[in-house]
Amino acid sequence: MFNVAELRARWFGSPEPNALRKDAARLIVRTESFDTALVWVVVALCAIGVVMVYSSSIAAAEASKANAYRPHYFLVRQITYLCVGFIAAAIMMQVPVRVLQKWAPAIFLVAFILLIAVLFARPINGSRRWIQLPGMSLQPSEIMKLAAILFAARYAVRKAHVLHGNQAMKTSIIQGLLPMLGVTLVVGYVLLREPDFGATIVVLAITFGILFLANLDFRLLVPVFVLATAGLVLLVVFEPYRLQRWTVFLDPWADPLGKGYQLTHSLMAFGRGGWFGVGLGASIEKLLYLPEAHTDFILAVIGEEFGLLGVALVIGLFAWVTLRAFAIGKVAASLSQPYHALVAQGIGIWIGFQALINIAVNVGAMPTKGLTLPLLSYGGSALVMTLAALGVLVRIDFEMRRVERGYTL
């Protein structure tokens, strides 16, 4: 008979404290103090991002009076953000995970206050998503993604006795599911007021993905999934611009010079790139034809300049990072560290899910969303917070290696 709990434990590891497994040491090679391969893959993605941000943004930078017509404008800022991001990652690597667990509610509260504050900020392109600071802008939704992981993992560990179905259904709903569901809905409502539909989907995926991995009673999981799906559908149907994006995504060539302009040019970029691409710097679509070429649609420029081979490489690197996050989480679960396990796998959900959505949007498999490609797209808050989260992931791996050697946390 199909057993959801057994399937989750097999693939993701059991987050329950008594789930120590004898094969834990075989899951990750323990010859170093931390996962250097993971670090180098992240560095490779960041390096690709710097090169492609520069390649895809030269024309837009030279044509913009606001950027003083400087072709290197976005390159310099991306490198600056990258330096800040690596500093943030290095700092997070020094913070014990137990400290993050203790302060998770406070971090979540600060992120939520920033989400409220952004609603009073000056709108940019019709949205209120950024708080303007001297020399830069802050996007609170990116902070909320990491805060949601830390908070949801802490909640799942604290409420494990009522989430797993060992209690009566009424107790599981009232004491286990409803509090987290209420908090998530409030955060989603604030994000939709910005509006930021893409970030809302990511936060929902993170939260309920963590609850799923924490062995949320399957009888509760199915109704939540159905209700969440129905809610997202209603948000699309009753919001004209979202419904318009959906209809355009189904047939972008019906209005190639209007609503389907961005997607059709993205598809033309992939088509022109073919198998091996036209070469670095030789993209035509980035010459002010493809909107947001250096942010949301940077993968289309990669596809044009490096072809299917380049796109496959990028997808492979993201898949590797995501699988490593889940592998680290599985080791943590096997070593009776449920919070470490859920945070690591939550980071894997964030990066893997957001990358999947961005890739799907670029190739026309999903309606356009305002979601960047992690580590590659131009952007300050997204890059810094993603690197900070990966710093937490490396710290988790470091602590698990110490536990395997007999140290205590």
Side-chain angles (χ1 to χ4, degrees), residues 128-150:
R128 290 182 171 89
R129 300 180 185 177
W130 298 270
I131 297 176
Q132 297 300 320
L133 299 175
M136 64 171 295
S137 59
L138 178 68
Q139 191 171 3
S141 61
E142 297 298 331
I143 302 175
M144 176 53 73
K145 292 172 185 176
L146 179 57
I149 292 171
L150 301 176

Side-chain angles (χ1 to χ4, degrees), residues 186-338:
V186 171
V187 171
Y189 173 76
V190 175
L191 286 170
L192 289 172
R193 288 292 303 275
E194 294 183 5
D196 195 341
F197 189 66
T200 303
I201 294 177
V202 173
V203 171
L204 287 174
I206 289 171
T207 302
F208 292 106
I210 287 176
L211 291 180
F212 169 77
L213 295 174
N215 287 331
L216 175 66
D217 189 345
F218 194 67
R219 295 172 297 174
L220 302 178
L221 187 65
V222 172
V224 168
F225 178 78
V226 172
L227 290 174
T229 303
L232 293 175
V233 170
L234 291 175
L235 286 173
V236 171
V237 171
F238 290 103
E239 188 64 51
Y241 80 92
R242 293 194 189 110
L243 183 60
Q244 190 176 62
R245 285 183 178 181
W246 181 266
T247 56
V248 168
F249 137 77
L250 294 175
D251 186 11
W253 302 102
D255 188 14
L257 299 179
K259 301 301 181 182
Y261 180 84
Q262 190 173 34
L263 182 53
T264 54
H265 278 274
S266 177
L267 296 175
M268 284 189 283
F270 284 110
R272 187 168 181 268
W275 288 96
F276 304 106
V278 296
L280 178 62
S283 168
I284 291 179
E285 289 297 331
K286 70 183 182 184
L287 302 179
L288 305 182
Y289 291 104
L290 175 63
E292 308 297 338
H294 59 297
T295 55
D296 298 355
F297 281 82
I298 195 169
L299 187 69
V301 180
I302 294 175
E304 186 177 4
E305 296 190 347
F306 292 97
L308 180 61
L309 183 64
V311 173
L313 173 63
V314 169
I315 293 175
L317 292 174
F318 276 114
W320 197 92
V321 172
T322 303
L323 291 174
R324 292 304 300 153
F326 278 94
I328 292 170
K330 188 173 183 179
V331 170
S334 68
L335 293 174
S336 302
Q337 301 298 328

